[in-house]
Amino acid sequence: MELASLSANLLLISFVAYFVATLFFGGAVKGTKSEASYKSNRWGKIAIVITSIGFVSHVGFFITRWIVSGHAPVSNMFEFITAFAMMLVGAFILLFYLYRTPSLGLFALPIAIIIIAYASMFPRDIAPLIPALQSYWLTVHVITAALGEAILAISAIAGLVYLLKNVDLTKKSKQRFWLESIIFTLILVFGFVLSSTTFTITGYEAKFSFIDKNDNPAQIVYNYPPLFGMNEYESLTPDTMKPFAEMPAIVNAKTLTTFVWSLLVGIVLYLIIRIILRRPVATMLQPFAKKANSKLMDEIGYRAVLIGFPVFTLGALIFAMIWAHEAWSRFWGWDPKEVWALITWLFYAAFLHLRLSRGWEGEKSAWLAVIGFIIIMFNLLAVNLIIAGLHSYA
Amino acid sequence: MSNKKCLCGHENPFGTILCEQCGRPQTDEAKKSKLVDMRYEGSARRSQTYKRSIIDRVWNFFSSVKVGISIIVAVLVTSAFGTLFPQKLYVPAVTDADIAAYYERLYGFPGVLYYELGFYDMYNSWWFITLIGMLGTSIIIASFDRVIPLYKSLKKQRTKRHVSFMSRQRIYGIGSVNDTDVSLGKAEKKLKELRYNVKIEDGAILAEKGRFSRWGPYVNHTGLIIFLFGVLLRGLPGFYVDETLWLREGEMRAIPGAPGFYIENQDFMIELYSKEEDEVFGDAIDRVGAIVKNYQTDVTLYKEAEDALLGQSDKLEFVKDYSIIVNKPLNFEGYNVFQMDYRLDELKSMTFHLTEKSTDRSFGEFTVDLTNPEPTYELEEGARVELKDYFPDYDGIEDGEPKTKSPVPNNPAFIFKMVTSDKPEGEMSFVAIQQTLETEVNDYKVSFVSADTRDISGLTVRKDKTLYILLLGGIIFMIGVSQGSYWNHRRIWIQKGEGNELLLAGHTNKNWFSLRKELDQVRDYANLPQYEDREDTESFEQQNGDNS
Ligand code: HEM
């Protein structure tokens, strides 16, 4: 059990390191006039060293957890998402050595931090593998797919920097609206972390019985005050709030409740910031992106897709097919998770063709990169939590 | 439509934009533009040149990347629609009516619409398959349209290019140097150090690397086509077998789809994780309850003897014993048998005993094999029980007759006739689980003693000859996509101008910053003139800003 707690501590260390490194990247950006003069900047050097320490510690977390559980720690939501964050930082370090731009770090690390915080909201216990998951191919498939997705995610971060720098936030426009929406989504994630932590600390629990979609009785425990009740629910915990509405059997009312709570907290947070600032929240982030070179961000975005696309293909399609063949006897079964991997792949294929043959560079390319990230997140979260298929092991 | 001669003397095919050898612009449009479009080297592509006959139009339609992208997006969007509600495959219903009812019950009107539009079986619908077909066609035609002219012009390019070609490059510089020959010599050395292929001709340098990466897209498209071809083949008989097989413990059966092979289920078992053995998992087990560790069917595989008549199963040869577990199928002669499903504790036999009600006198026990019951069971003291009727899956009484739902012994019921020396004509009794019915009051009764159960293992039998084709397609795709993504085609031209002038131009198919990094090294070392990147004014402004 000691190794298990060491593992948890290593994750904490990397979390803190990423936070500190972000500050140093901020110093690096502040201290230079532009990307071009960055090379001689001390802040940036310190920042990348701290990032690397955090990364090594993160890898340590991954390996120790692997040793403790006896299988690759990518088998539930907490494990998969923390591994994803680890690879995101790894991909950032790789691209940093290719292009040496602190502006990218200033955005990549906070996003890694948000992702780790998000992951920590899921149950963290070490779970055994069900038979379908006991395969080397699974390990290879999931790790490669996550790596591909993490590299592709860097392109969205470069795209975000590009957009923050280039979208005119002083005038009302579609671009401004969508950029603000992205920032709002990030605040929502924060809202989820905040509300989830609060109710966890208070130890809130409400248990219900209900009838599931196959007409079987079942039970469920809410960790949030129930806003929505499951199909034909009956409360089993006295003195808890009565849900406002009952949902049909196909809707997981618990997930919906969690989502609505996060949304409410997120909206309140957003409004508070907005009232204090009196202008779009994106304008607050804009100065951090101002010194980035647009062409460079564009190239990093493209390069990340070029590096990530083959890795993603290998992991999420080819290895996935090999494993699916071993475990389920068919290499492809149109399971929602599989379909969304295909959609992601087709999307990036379209991205590459649009760029290569139709000259979609700069802003168009940056928007596409952001949309690509949304698709990846959709597959990771919504498909797992809502459209549950064979893969919903979490 | 004859060839056209360039000023340099080279004959270019009709439709050429930039001369294959010297690079002079050939069309009015190219002459006017400030930067040349270097895609496909300005070569003559069929789709850009011929636009008249129907074949031309079809060719041009499919070779357009705009069309190609539209097809990709169409596949993407339809695929996404297919995940809105579960596909037919995942619906626990068999008949069309049940499937329709399922969508209606769970999803209401949208579900009905989904069913009516055929979205419930999206990926087998004719339009989805048509889209995939168009995708394949588009990939083939677009690739042919480009790869041949591209290959020709890259092969024919000359080292020395015309000034009008150089000055229309995105990276371009011109300026005087101290000694052009020294600079050219040093540039050559540095370029070689950076692993460029350097060609020299008449005061001009062409340094090139990674040309093979230009073939990446065509290689990966070939891989995709092979893959799609493999998928197509599974429609042909003999390439693909997919059968399911339910096998009870102790049972032997012919393997469906694999003529001449038999399989016997020795034992099926299921194992759970225990908190004692797997201590680290304690919390997880507490949270979610029992977690399965393993399903396993121990089987024996037999093959019909060579000289046996087909279907004559008494001459079987032992092949092997194997434990099929999830992720470890049984393999033989191109077939795979997978552990897919199971049903636990199906009733196998039931044991009863016959007694006289008033005295409790016993006449002994008898056991009914539920898949293969016997008509009479002889007991002690000359008594016997006759099985008059048997309902394996008893489902109540309809029109005065007991009914069975299925031939599976889920809820067996029996009509027994009890014959003893007292009652030689016998007494009738209806016996089901938990109940006994009598038409008249009987003196004797059959009562339940115990039941034996066994497990049934759900196996899937597959043969898929196309797998190797698919794998080959996948590997070729990976090679091509890596080739095109991890290498770039970079070219640097340096040549003498008038007097002490040197001209410098550069091109890459992607990643211009990386090209510039290399170019800067060459420039510093060989003292070449300053150049500019005409698409990135920001860096140069910033550089100047920092220097000031
Ligand atoms: C899902 C299907 C497809 C995939 C995965 C795919 C993949 C690729 C990739 C990875 C590249 C290289 C891109 C780069 O280096 O930036 C490429 C290039 C290309 N693709 Fe596709 N492709 C697909 C379908 C198509 C279709 C339908 C067309 C038809 C118009 C097409 C036409 C081209 C062309 C013209 C190029 C550029 C070739 C060159 O620059 O020499 N592709 N493709």
Side-chain angles (χ1 to χ4, degrees):
Chain A
M1 259 354 236
E2 250 167 38
L3 207 53
S5 61
L6 170 67
S7 178
N9 285 331
L10 286 172
L11 183 64
L12 193 65
I13 292 173
S14 57
F15 187 83
V16 174
Y18 298 152
F19 191 77
V20 176
T22 307
L23 299 179
F24 275 91
F25 275 123
V29 169
K30 199 160 181 290
T32 50
K33 285 194 194 128
S34 74
E35 295 275 9
S37 61
Y38 162 68
K39 286 195 184 71
S40 51
N41 187 297
R42 275 218 345 264
W43 289 83
K45 284 201 184 108
I46 298 172
I48 192 67
V49 168
I50 298 174
T51 310
S52 305
I53 292 172
F55 179 67
V56 169
S57 172
H58 206 152
V59 174
F61 151 78
F62 188 78
I63 292 173
T64 46
R65 196 170 167 104
W66 192 326
I67 295 170
V68 173
S69 65
H71 58 79
V74 286
S75 66
N76 61 29
M77 283 297 243
F78 166 72
E79 293 179 338
F80 184 83
I81 300 174
T82 44
F84 176 75
M86 173 181 84
M87 292 167 187
L88 186 81
V89 176
F92 160 70
I93 294 175
L94 172 77
L95 281 150
F96 186 87
Y97 277 106
L98 287 176
Y99 292 104
R100 304 205 167 257
T101 159
S103 302
L104 190 66
L106 190 52
F107 285 84
L109 290 181
I111 288 181
I113 290 171
I114 294 179
I115 293 174
I116 297 174
Y118 179 78
S120 311
M121 299 302 115
F122 290 90
R124 266 176 278 180
D125 42 40
I126 296 174
L129 293 182
I130 59 166
L133 304 183
Q134 298 164 6
S135 158
Y136 291 118
W137 281 112
L138 170 80
T139 309
V140 173
H141 151 57
V142 179
I143 291 180
T144 321
L147 183 64
E149 288 174 349
I151 302 171
L152 292 170
I154 293 287
S155 103
I157 295 170
L160 185 65
V161 179
Y162 184 98
L163 293 172
L164 278 172
K165 171 163 175 165
N166 290 292
V167 169
D168 182 358
L169 293 175
T170 57
K171 285 198 288 292
K172 231 185 156 118
S173 67
K174 261 202 309 234
Q175 283 89 333
R176 187 176 90 169
F177 172 78
W178 287 114
L179 193 55
E180 186 71 1
S181 306
I182 295 170
I183 309 292
F184 174 67
T185 313
L186 291 177
I187 295 176
L188 277 193
V189 178
F190 195 68
F192 167 73
V193 172
L194 200 67
S195 54
S196 177
T197 314
T198 313
F199 289 118
T200 306
I201 290 172
T202 56
Y204 188 91
E205 256 186 32
K207 196 167 178 181
F208 292 89
S209 65
F210 68 102
I211 305 294
D212 74 9
K213 68 175 178 179
N214 297 324
D215 279 336
N216 296 322
Q219 290 193 349
I220 196 164
V221 179
Y222 283 52
N223 306 101
Y224 285 74
L227 301 173
F228 303 94
M230 302 291 287
N231 184 39
E232 300 182 30
Y233 70 88
E234 264 171 61
S235 176
L236 301 177
T237 319
D239 302 327
T240 49
M241 189 178 126
K242 188 176 159 18
F244 293 116
E246 182 182 318
M247 291 288 118
I250 49 163
V251 177
N252 184 336
K254 179 185 168 184
T255 308
L256 187 66
T257 298
T258 309
F259 179 74
V260 172
W261 268 110
S262 316
L263 194 68
L264 291 175
V265 174
I267 289 174
V268 170
L269 272 177
Y270 178 79
L271 287 179
I272 293 173
I273 303 174
R274 188 80 201 239
I275 288 168
I276 294 172
L277 283 182
R278 295 169 174 281
R279 60 201 158 102
V281 182
T283 53
M284 195 174 77
L285 298 179
Q286 195 159 41
F288 298 111
K290 266 295 170 214
K291 283 181 193 147
N293 177 317
S294 307
K295 276 278 164 186
L296 183 65
M297 285 305 138
D298 184 50
E299 183 163 325
I300 293 175
Y302 182 35
R303 191 80 183 262
V305 175
L306 282 173
I307 299 174
F309 185 72
V311 179
F312 180 80
T313 312
L314 190 66
L317 295 173
I318 296 181
F319 288 159
M321 287 186 203
I322 295 175
W323 173 53
H325 176 75
E326 298 280 296
W328 294 320
S329 87
R330 84 284 181 291
F331 71 93
W332 190 260
W334 297 106
D335 167 78
K337 192 97 183 167
E338 286 172 356
V339 177
W340 277 92
L342 177 69
I343 289 173
T344 312
W345 185 72
L346 289 171
F347 178 84
Y348 281 101
F351 175 108
L352 289 173
H353 288 91
L354 282 167
R355 186 164 175 117
L356 201 68
S357 293
R358 308 215 51 83
W360 280 35
E361 300 191 3
E363 193 174 326
K364 280 180 179 162
S365 174
W367 283 115
L368 286 181
V370 170
I371 295 170
F373 184 65
I374 293 172
I375 295 177
I376 289 176
M377 284 297 121
F378 183 84
N379 196 7
L380 184 57
L381 308 176
V383 174
N384 270 25
L385 301 175
I386 300 167
I387 318 185
L390 291 172
H391 280 77
S392 57
Y393 41 73
Chain B
M1 310 247 167
S2 58
N3 291 352
K4 268 176 87 179
K5 202 166 187 172
C6 173
L7 290 170
C8 73
H10 179 69
E11 293 235 6
N12 287 305
F14 180 73
T16 303
I17 303 163
L18 300 175
C19 171
E20 288 173 332
Q21 279 199 348
C22 72
R24 271 196 190 84
Q26 303 291 304
T27 58
D28 289 342
E29 203 184 328
K31 280 178 197 153
K32 266 185 245 147
S33 67
K34 271 178 127 174
L35 286 181
V36 286
D37 180 357
M38 286 289 286
R39 254 181 295 147
Y40 315 110
E41 307 290 306
S43 58
R45 281 162 50 205
R46 188 187 199 288
S47 63
Q48 305 302 305
T49 314
Y50 303 99
K51 304 190 169 167
R52 274 199 286 178
S53 71
I54 295 228
I55 296 177
D56 292 343
R57 294 225 184 109
V58 172
W59 181 276
N60 296 352
F61 177 79
F62 282 112
S63 84
S64 151
V65 177
K66 206 172 176 176
V67 171
I69 295 168
S70 312
I71 298 172
I72 294 177
V73 173
V75 175
L76 188 160
V77 171
T78 39
S79 299
F81 264 108
T83 63
L84 218 49
F85 300 139
Q87 288 289 301
K88 181 178 147 188
L89 194 64
Y90 297 102
V91 170
V94 184
T95 63
D96 282 351
D98 285 351
I99 294 173
Y102 179 87
Y103 285 101
E104 178 159 16
R105 177 169 70 83
L106 284 179
Y107 307 106
F109 178 67
V112 174
L113 205 62
Y114 201 73
Y115 179 81
E116 290 300 329
L117 290 174
F119 286 7
Y120 73 107
D121 197 11
M122 175 75 84
Y123 310 109
N124 293 314
S125 64
W126 64 267
W127 71 78
F128 192 77
I129 292 168
T130 308
L131 274 178
I132 301 289
M134 286 172 71
L135 186 71
T137 314
S138 177
I139 292 174
I140 294 173
I141 293 184
S143 300
F144 271 110
D145 191 60
R146 290 163 174 83
V147 71
I148 298 163
L150 179 65
Y151 176 77
K152 282 192 188 148
S153 39
L154 280 178
K155 218 180 139 150
K156 279 189 194 143
Q157 61 176 330
R158 234 171 49 190
T159 304
K160 183 153 187 165
R161 290 298 179 106
H162 193 252
V163 184
S164 57
F165 174 85
M166 301 274 287
S167 63
R168 284 185 176 82
Q169 293 299 319
R170 174 172 156 180
I171 284 186
Y172 176 64
I174 181 167
S176 301
V177 296
N178 294 336
D179 185 332
T180 50
D181 288 324
V182 171
S183 283
L184 281 177
K186 280 188 154 178
E188 182 194 347
K189 179 158 175 266
K190 192 72 190 174
L191 284 163
K192 280 188 174 152
E193 247 170 54
L194 293 170
R195 280 187 273 151
Y196 277 82
N197 270 324
V198 181
K199 283 197 277 181
I200 299 175
E201 170 193 309
D202 185 16
I205 287 181
L206 164 58
E208 186 174 14
K209 77 168 160 194
R211 191 199 283 185
F212 85 107
S213 79
R214 293 292 285 269
W215 316 124
Y218 307 102
V219 175
N220 87 42
H221 288 166
T222 307
L224 286 177
I225 294 299
I226 293 175
F227 187 91
L228 288 178
F229 176 74
V231 173
L232 211 67
L233 273 187
R234 3 181 73 217
L236 298 181
F239 274 95
Y240 186 58
V241 170
D242 175 13
E243 303 277 353
T244 47
L245 167 69
W246 288 93
L247 199 62
R248 297 179 166 85
E249 280 173 327
E251 196 178 24
M252 173 173 7
R253 291 237 228 155
I255 301 179
F261 284 97
Y262 289 78
I263 190 167
E264 183 176 6
N265 181 347
Q266 307 289 6
D267 187 22
F268 174 83
M269 63 180 191
I270 185 165
E271 226 183 312
L272 299 177
Y273 285 99
S274 77
K275 272 164 65 171
E276 292 72 41
E277 271 175 58
D278 311 286
E279 206 183 314
V280 279
F281 304 137
D283 291 348
I285 295 172
D286 284 343
R287 189 166 57 82
V288 295
I291 301 176
V292 178
K293 186 169 184 174
N294 186 28
Y295 314 109
Q296 173 173 338
T297 311
D298 295 336
V299 297
T300 308
L301 180 71
Y302 300 96
K303 190 179 177 180
E304 234 162 41
E306 291 290 327
D307 54 347
L309 295 168
L310 200 69
Q312 177 193 344
S313 60
D314 50 359
K315 265 190 144 180
L316 292 181
E317 287 170 0
F318 169 86
V319 182
K320 63 175 158 183
D321 283 324
Y322 190 80
S323 299
I324 306 179
I325 65 176
V326 180
N327 275 312
K328 266 180 70 188
L330 162 71
N331 303 318
F332 64 94
E333 299 200 6
Y335 292 91
N336 296 307
V337 180
F338 297 89
Q339 178 71 57
M340 292 300 286
D341 207 349
Y342 61 92
R343 259 185 249 135
L344 291 182
D345 302 335
E346 186 194 62
L347 288 169
K348 180 184 175 204
S349 63
M350 287 170 94
T351 303
F352 301 92
H353 86 217
L354 178 68
T355 49
E356 186 178 22
K357 284 185 189 171
S358 54
T359 61
D360 255 353
R361 184 156 67 104
S362 170
F363 294 86
E365 298 184 348
F366 64 98
T367 298
V368 182
D369 178 341
L370 295 171
T371 36
N372 220 348
E374 281 165 43
T376 40
Y377 298 89
E378 300 290 343
L379 297 176
E380 292 155 26
E381 299 178 39
R384 71 170 187 275
V385 172
E386 291 174 17
L387 179 58
K388 298 313 267 184
D389 215 340
Y390 167 43
F391 311 94
D393 198 0
Y394 172 61
D395 192 30
I397 295 179
E398 207 172 281
D399 306 328
E401 289 282 314
K403 281 259 170 253
T404 183
K405 238 188 335 201
S406 71
V408 183
N410 290 328
N411 183 25
F414 312 86
I415 296 179
F416 290 125
K417 186 173 179 189
M418 304 166 284
V419 184
T420 51
S421 48
D422 277 17
K423 302 254 175 181
E425 71 286 7
E427 290 178 330
M428 302 293 272
S429 168
F430 175 86
V431 179
I433 291 175
Q434 306 274 347
Q435 65 173 342
T436 304
L437 297 175
E438 298 172 353
T439 31
E440 297 152 27
V441 178
N442 290 338
D443 292 345
Y444 296 89
K445 78 171 182 200
V446 166
S447 47
F448 171 76
V449 178
S450 65
D452 250 352
T453 61
R454 61 180 162 185
D455 304 329
I456 321 176
S457 176
L459 303 172
T460 289
V461 184
R462 289 264 177 167
K463 177 168 105 170
D464 197 343
K465 281 194 188 164
T466 67
L467 280 180
Y468 291 101
I469 302 177
L470 302 180
L471 191 64
L472 179 72
I475 291 172
I476 293 179
F477 178 84
M478 283 312 301
I479 293 173
V481 80
S482 311
Q483 186 178 338
S485 306
Y486 299 146
W487 283 271
N488 320 131
H489 181 214
R490 296 177 187 163
R491 274 175 293 174
I492 294 169
W493 297 273
I494 309 169
Q495 66 186 47
K496 288 184 193 167
E498 286 168 15
N500 266 355
E501 263 178 353
L502 272 188
L503 279 68
L504 172 72
H507 181 263
T508 176
N509 62 338
K510 50 189 58 141
N511 302 331
W512 293 80
F513 276 85
S514 305
L515 173 70
R516 269 160 53 184
K517 242 196 307 194
E518 289 184 338
L519 196 52
D520 285 341
Q521 290 182 45
V522 180
R523 197 177 77 88
D524 286 347
Y525 182 75
N527 194 21
L528 301 179
Q530 175 64 292
Y531 66 89
E532 58 178 333
D533 178 343
R534 275 109 155 230
E535 301 259 304
D536 177 27
T537 44
E538 225 175 72
S539 315
F540 291 88
E541 277 164 21
Q542 282 181 349
Q543 238 165 25
N544 295 339
D546 284 339
N547 294 342
S548 63

